[in-house]
Amino acid sequence: MSVIAREVKDGFKYDEIPWQRFPHFYGPGEEIPGLLATLASEDAEAADAALRQLWNYLHHQGSTTAVGALAVPFLLRVTAVGSPGLRAETLHLVAEIGRCQHLGDGSREGLLAVSEDPSMMEGATECPVDWTIQAARDAVTGDLHLLLPLLPDPDPDVRSATAFVLAAVTSEIPRVSSALHRRLAVEDDPVVQVSLILAIAQLAREHRDEQAPAWARNLWSDAGRPPEIRIGAGLAWLCLVADPVPDELRTLLTDPSTDQLSDLLQRVPWLPPVDSNSGLRRCIHEMLTPHIPWTSRFHLDHGGDGDPSPMSVWGDEPLEQPHRGRPAATAQ
């Protein structure tokens, strides 16, 4: 996929993009420009419906479809001109297009993973999924000038989603990481704080920043820090190293006060894909007790009465459904 020219992106010149070459699972990719135009419209109800459809078409059942990478530059620009109430979710979609399928994986190896199995092919076009993810990430990197100004946005959901997107960049890592660190130093929203920490850690993990483990450990081991920062840094540290879990960190993550933050931190973008209701709990379980399957833990916690169904373990959604904070649209 060649780089889309700046004037094409800024001018929303959809007709210069070969959408028809990249169908999604439900139909031709040439449907996407119309949905993007509707998303950018002043009709809030129609824009909301268009975003639901785009989630289905571009991030089918937790996996990226090839046409998604073409849509990324336009989705980023829609956040500037579309409905303010849809900006965070639009950014969230961009981030998911640039990340591997990670439903149900809260492990130390999986939580911050970005690459897909090179052998995995996208069903509608037979394109390698990792190729599509890389193309989407390159598109994000090419539009950093649109993303970095969103880090101090008044809406905390936008700030959190922006961190999620920035974690996928493929170059200018020092610049992006520095921006995330600067924002973390002044951020007061706990969900955004954890999002910034995980974004910093994801970049550090992929690009082998040798200083990051010490940074994360200093955060989680500092009893004077807010609990959300310590928890986020604890998860980050576990993903950055293969060391045994220190007793101090195990105590922090298994303390009842940490569990009480589970509902609040469910808004951190990395956690709902792990579990639609209890992402933090599942991450802690998988990172501290990887030898015990999550379903077994659920079974033990409920007195051993019968086997949990997929919907019992994952919350309200069947396993095959895409991760969303809202119901997915029905394909037309």
Side-chain angles (χ1 to χ4, degrees):
M1 181 183 297
S2 60
V3 176
I4 300 175
R6 179 78 173 265
E7 59 270 20
V8 172
K9 297 185 292 186
D10 290 347
F12 293 93
K13 297 179 180 180
Y14 298 124
D15 57 348
E16 297 193 24
I17 304 299
W19 304 98
Q20 69 281 358
R21 293 175 53 193
F22 298 94
H24 50 75
F25 284 100
Y26 295 125
E30 57 199 14
E31 298 172 337
I32 302 302
L35 291 170
L36 290 169
T38 302
L39 178 60
S41 72
E42 296 181 357
D43 187 331
E45 184 175 352
D48 183 83
L51 183 56
R52 289 170 178 260
Q53 289 286 55
L54 287 166
W55 267 96
N56 262 358
Y57 292 167
L58 305 182
H59 195 248
H60 180 73
Q61 295 186 1
S63 295
T64 294
T65 55
V67 72
L70 292 174
V72 162
F74 300 105
L75 287 168
L76 290 175
R77 283 158 177 78
V78 167
T79 63
V81 301
S83 170
L86 297 177
R87 289 187 305 153
E89 194 170 358
T90 302
L91 288 167
H92 195 161
L93 174 56
V94 169
E96 292 284 9
I97 292 170
R99 194 163 184 235
C100 65
Q101 210 274 28
H102 50 291
L103 297 181
D105 190 352
S107 67
R108 297 174 71 170
E109 299 78 16
L111 180 64
L112 302 183
V114 290
S115 298
E116 193 58 88
D117 181 345
S119 66
M120 183 174 293
M121 307 297 285
E122 191 264 295
T125 61
E126 295 304 314
C127 289
V129 174
D130 206 44
W131 176 88
T132 296
I133 292 172
Q134 183 68 28
R137 296 179 63 196
D138 288 342
V140 166
T141 307
D143 281 328
L144 280 178
H145 66 289
L146 299 177
L147 287 163
L148 292 175
L150 295 177
L151 282 174
D153 191 271
D155 184 348
D157 289 338
V158 170
R159 300 198 301 273
S160 180
T162 300
F164 196 33
V165 177
L166 288 172
V169 298
T170 55
S171 64
E172 298 196 56
I173 307 306
R175 177 188 176 196
V176 174
S177 183
S178 293
L180 293 168
H181 276 284
R182 287 195 301 271
R183 184 62 218 175
L184 179 61
V186 298
E187 182 59 58
D188 59 2
D189 184 279
V191 172
V192 184
Q193 289 171 334
V194 176
S195 297
L196 291 165
I197 289 169
L198 293 181
I200 292 167
Q202 183 171 312
L203 290 172
R205 181 178 185 267
E206 183 179 12
H207 299 280
R208 295 181 170 84
D209 181 348
E210 295 180 355
Q211 298 179 349
W215 162 77
R217 182 161 191 147
N218 286 338
L219 285 182
W220 68 251
S221 62
D222 184 352
R225 298 276 185 176
E228 299 86 3
I229 287 182
R230 297 186 69 200
I231 292 165
L235 297 180
W237 184 85
L238 288 169
C239 293
L240 289 170
V241 302
D243 301 7
V245 183
D247 290 342
E248 181 185 359
L249 179 55
R250 188 178 296 273
T251 298
L252 168 67
L253 295 179
T254 57
D255 189 273
S257 62
T258 295
D259 189 68
Q260 291 170 8
L261 292 170
S262 182
D263 288 345
L264 171 65
L265 297 185
Q266 188 66 10
R267 290 168 46 211
V268 174
W270 281 260
L271 299 183
V274 174
D275 188 287
S276 61
N277 286 330
S278 302
L280 178 61
R281 295 186 183 101
R282 182 162 181 167
C283 281
I284 292 172
H285 168 77
E286 293 190 4
M287 291 184 186
L288 300 188
T289 55
H291 57 288
I292 301 177
W294 175 251
T295 51
S296 297
R297 170 64 183 270
F298 181 93
H299 183 71
L300 292 172
D301 286 351
H302 287 71
D305 297 329
D307 295 324
S309 68
M311 291 185 72
S312 298
V313 175
W314 285 61
D316 297 329
E317 303 172 17
L319 290 178
E320 70 273 15
Q321 287 297 317
H323 148 59
R324 291 295 314 280
R326 54 203 276 180
T330 302
Q332 300 298 318

